[in-house]
Amino acid sequence: MSKKPAKATLTTAMIEEQTAAFLKAGGTVEYVVKGKSGQFASTGTKQINLKANG
């Protein structure tokens, strides 16, 4: 039987270190209000017409 490699665990200290490095490198953090997506939709909604035009 082969053993699965141990899954790396992400600790709070690691997250804090990564966040500090990101901010030190000039990164910024934006606040997104609850209920809003942080993603921007580049196109409108896509609707598919299943009925053939006839």
Side-chain angles (χ1 to χ4, degrees):
M1 240 194 270
S2 64
K3 291 184 177 181
K4 291 182 181 178
K7 188 175 182 179
T9 56
L10 193 60
T11 64
T12 303
M14 293 170 70
I15 294 172
E16 289 175 355
E17 288 174 10
Q18 291 175 359
T19 303
F22 172 76
L23 294 173
K24 186 176 181 180
T28 59
V29 177
E30 295 179 28
Y31 177 77
V32 178
V33 294
K34 186 175 182 178
K36 287 208 171 197
S37 172
Q39 297 180 347
F40 297 102
S42 59
T43 59
T45 59
K46 295 181 181 180
Q47 294 182 354
I48 300 172
N49 186 0
L50 299 176
K51 294 181 181 180
N53 292 337

